[in-house]
Amino acid sequence: GQQLNQSPQSMFIQEGEDVSMNCTSSSIFNTWLWYKQEPGEGPVLLIALYKAGELTSNGRLTAQFGITRKDSFLNISASIPSDVGIYFCAGSLSNSGYALNFGKGTSLLVTP
Amino acid sequence: DAGVIQSPRHEVTEMGQEVTLRCKPISGHDYLFWYRQTMMRGLELLIYFNNNVPIDDSGMPEDRFSAKMPNASFSTLKIQPSEPRDSAVYFCASSLVAGSIEAFFGQGTRLTVV
């Protein structure tokens, strides 16, 4: 499948700081999703984006679908310790049916 | 409503043994996906089904891997014979209807082949 490039690989921040991570692809995607995975659990869907330029929020999380359709970012404002986990971007190519391609993830650590 | 249910949560087996992983998707979901997660390769799609029919199995690594979906509420992923390099976390996910790719994941099966 198409590989997504996700950055940074890891982040180590203090509680209260804002976080930004992004995802790029060499191909055009028609859908971007952001997931969070905690240890021993499966990925949990955070935000879904369906239109280029779309900006969507879910509580302290905000994600945008890049205008070129080749990138997306996720911001977390005022981080808290329970934000710890691995954040994955996932995208769907327009001609790949309903299969998702995943990035390698951004590991987030938040210290109190 | 229960989410995607996978069993077992953990499996330790000896090389050469047959392994069967099980999945119950969310009721009413038309699509079922099997993913494998490793540190090196991340989340890889192995195979997915639509209405119990396999649509794309290009991600299945070898003939040792096979997947079935005999009905809308049950799927299996079988590895026979298993090898140490098959050690990984295997996830099952399902999504609602055509046009929605918001997949919901189970808790995974951690497979260790020794």
Side-chain angles (χ1 to χ4, degrees):
Chain A
Q2 181 68 34
Q3 194 66 36
L4 301 183
N5 298 309
Q6 196 169 344
S7 64
Q9 281 190 326
S10 61
M11 303 183 74
F12 188 71
I13 63 170
Q14 280 195 319
E15 183 177 2
E17 289 184 19
D18 296 343
V19 172
S20 184
M21 58 190 78
N22 64 27
C23 204
T24 61
S25 170
S26 58
S27 298
I28 290 175
F29 277 29
N30 62 4
T31 306
W32 285 95
L33 306 178
W34 285 92
Y35 285 83
K36 177 188 178 187
Q37 185 178 24
E38 298 184 11
E41 302 293 330
V44 174
L45 181 64
L46 300 174
I47 292 179
L49 302 160
Y50 292 99
K51 295 180 181 178
E54 180 181 355
L55 184 71
T56 298
S57 293
N58 178 7
R60 293 178 295 104
L61 277 60
T62 301
Q64 184 158 30
F65 192 146
I67 200 73
T68 64
R69 297 171 63 190
K70 293 183 177 182
D71 63 324
S72 177
F73 73 74
L74 174 71
N75 287 344
I76 305 173
S77 62
S79 58
I80 59 178
S82 62
D83 290 333
V84 165
I86 302 177
Y87 291 79
F88 292 97
C89 62
S92 175
L93 296 169
S94 58
N95 61 350
S96 69
Y98 301 101
L100 289 173
N101 299 278
F102 280 83
K104 289 285 184 72
T106 294
S107 178
L108 177 64
L109 290 175
V110 180
T111 58
Chain B
D1 185 19
V4 175
I5 300 173
Q6 291 185 246
S7 64
R9 287 296 308 277
H10 303 274
E11 177 82 31
V12 180
T13 191
E14 290 186 344
M15 182 174 64
Q17 296 297 307
E18 176 181 305
V19 175
T20 299
L21 311 181
R22 297 173 176 79
C23 175
K24 178 176 170 31
I26 294 172
S27 177
H29 280 197
D30 293 336
Y31 287 80
L32 184 141
F33 307 85
W34 282 100
Y35 284 88
R36 177 172 67 176
Q37 186 176 40
T38 61
M39 289 292 292
M40 290 297 294
R41 301 174 68 89
L43 272 162
E44 303 173 278
L45 177 66
L46 300 177
I47 185 171
Y48 77 95
F49 296 82
N50 177 25
N51 291 324
N52 314 337
V53 176
I55 302 301
D56 184 354
D57 65 354
S58 59
M60 296 286 262
E62 299 172 34
D63 292 343
R64 298 183 296 106
F65 286 69
S66 62
K68 294 182 180 179
M69 193 166 185
N71 58 61
S73 60
F74 184 65
S75 177
T76 59
L77 177 68
K78 184 180 292 186
I79 308 173
Q80 181 185 20
S82 57
E83 297 182 3
R85 60 196 169 111
D86 300 331
S87 297
V89 182
Y90 291 81
F91 286 104
C92 175
S94 67
S95 63
L96 184 55
V97 294
S100 169
I101 67 164
E102 296 177 21
F104 295 85
F105 284 75
Q107 291 185 298
T109 295
R110 179 173 293 277
L111 173 65
T112 303
V113 183
V114 297

